[in-house]
Amino acid sequence: MKTLIKNGTIVNSESSFQGDVLIEDGRITAIQPGLAATDAEIYDAAGCRLFPGFIDAHTHLDMDAGATVTADNFQTGTRAALAGGTTAIIDFATQDKGCTLKAALEAWQEKARGVSACDYGFHMAITEWTPAVAKEIPDMAAAGVTSFKVYLAYDNLRVNDGDVYDILCRVKEIQGIVGAHCENGDIVNRLTASLLRQGKKAPCHHPFSRPDLAEAEAISRLAYIGQLAEAPVNIVHLSSEAGLQEALRARQRGCEIYIESCPHYFLLDDSSYGLPDFEGAKFVCSPPLRSKSSQVALWQAMAAGNIDTISTDHCSFNWIGQKDLGRDDFSKIPNGLPGIEHRPVLMYSSGVAAGRISENQFVASLAENTARLFGLYPQKGKIAVGSDGDIVVWDPNAEVTIAAATQLQNVDYTPYEGLKVQGRPKAVFLRGQLAAENGKVLITNAGQYLPRHSCDYFRHKTE
């Protein structure tokens, strides 16, 4: 099978240029202006940008949250991702305490196999560290899992600092990476209990239970542990200016630290928690939405190249029937926001179209850096000869209004309801096949598992 995409502007992290792209048997075989090919399906991308397929490295699909299960599973979530231009995700397989990493990986493979619309891989979240689990790390690498996660909050998930150190040392041996949910769990527990004792149970009190300083402290602590272990660390879903400052300080003193953030921290703020009629519950996530000043700081960090990757932390729960489990107690509201479908348009419209970042920075943070850090480059993340034919044909002039009524995410609201955005994916190619067009998914269940190689620590020790 041959596909020839003509007349587009190819955009990679380092440059933008006019050219045609020929894809044969799922891989890019030629890039140059004026390409011709016999027996190829032609797609005219005149007036459009050609982006490498976007990668979302932070999703929670078909996740059991205890009291309920996420509204999106691998079928619905990946369809929404593909429609929005995301051609690969990396979800979190999570170890149950007392169980093996192998069992967790098998369970998540079963969730995704045969139903995913886009390609997929897994991080492994470690919730219990034992000598037996330590022996499994090379087995995980052999199975294509080279990234891991630890939690510094949530009593049922977190590990202690000594275990974090040991995990970092062990994962370094396979040239992997450990990401961390950075909030001080003990402080969060104390603040939450104090608020509830005072009768402060509405959604508007949620951000006060998880302040930015609790994030900043955990980032600082993780960075120091990383330096002691002489291992890189990845901060997932960075939310605040205070946390950003700690991460940048750590870089200055020689810590190899990578930073991920999410669109909701750039576009939304903590005033949403004060909405009437329990609507503030729609925005409950952890870390919480922050101040407008934190938004400004994050955009400045993006422009300066200090934030490496943008993913979603897509963790969707319906407002009615799930979020309302916490109607009388904000701490019982299932945490998480939907975003897997809208991440590219949000960051393009508010970033590139608004003049805050370049289109090349956009590609770096949504595709190439993610592929490098998580062992997918150059198969994914770049439009280059030999890479997978994952291409997003992007109309930079399209105008769209985001609405729950028209989204594919299997959830009854979007936090961006009514937001007008500029730019959208006109067509999405997955390994050379036209998989989505104008927001409609044309090919389902075509996603393949992505075994990943060792990580590319692309940042220098000091900056």
Side-chain angles (χ1 to χ4, degrees), residues 168-215:
L168 287 168
C169 290
R170 184 61 166 155
V171 170
K172 179 179 65 174
E173 294 174 4
I174 63 159
Q175 199 175 328
I177 188 88
V178 177
H181 176 120
C182 288
E183 292 180 291
N184 185 310
D186 289 333
I187 298 300
V188 168
N189 289 347
R190 295 297 177 91
L191 292 175
T192 301
S194 176
L195 289 165
L196 295 178
R197 283 197 303 269
Q198 298 173 61
K200 297 178 178 180
K201 299 181 178 182
C204 61
H205 300 294
H206 169 69
F208 297 100
S209 71
R210 315 181 87 97
D212 57 357
L213 296 183
E215 178 182 57

Side-chain angles (χ1 to χ4, degrees), residues 69-208:
V69 178
T70 52
D72 276 301
N73 57 24
F74 278 86
Q75 183 177 54
T76 64
T78 58
R79 281 172 58 87
L82 191 63
T86 294
T87 55
I89 65 162
I90 309 178
D91 202 83
F92 289 92
T94 302
Q95 173 203 26
D96 288 332
K97 290 189 176 180
C99 297
T100 64
L101 305 184
K102 179 182 179 182
L105 181 58
E106 289 175 347
W108 259 259
Q109 289 278 24
E110 184 63 26
K111 292 171 187 276
R113 188 183 296 113
V115 299
S116 290
C118 68
D119 290 348
Y120 59 94
F122 302 104
H123 309 286
M124 179 58 63
I126 299 172
T127 63
E128 185 175 44
W129 186 247
T130 66
V133 172
K135 291 179 180 178
E136 288 193 86
I137 298 300
D139 297 334
M140 289 295 102
V145 176
T146 52
S147 52
F148 300 80
K149 183 179 183 180
V150 295
Y151 289 85
L152 305 187
Y154 303 120
D155 291 346
N156 61 323
L157 295 171
R158 61 174 162 156
V159 294
N160 64 49
D161 291 349
D163 287 344
V164 171
Y165 173 83
D166 287 343
I167 292 167
L168 287 168
C169 290
R170 184 61 166 155
V171 170
K172 179 179 65 174
E173 294 174 4
I174 63 159
Q175 199 175 328
I177 188 88
V178 177
H181 176 120
C182 288
E183 292 180 291
N184 185 310
D186 289 333
I187 298 300
V188 168
N189 289 347
R190 295 297 177 91
L191 292 175
T192 301
S194 176
L195 289 165
L196 295 178
R197 283 197 303 269
Q198 298 173 61
K200 297 178 178 180
K201 299 181 178 182
C204 61
H205 300 294
H206 169 69
F208 297 100

Side-chain angles (χ1 to χ4, degrees), residues 43 79 82-83 117 408 426-428 433-446:
Y43 190 95
R79 281 172 58 87
L82 191 63
L408 294 183
K426 184 177 180 180
V428 182
Q433 290 187 295
L434 181 59
E437 192 168 25
N438 296 320
K440 295 182 179 180
V441 176
L442 306 178
I443 299 175
T444 59
N445 308 337

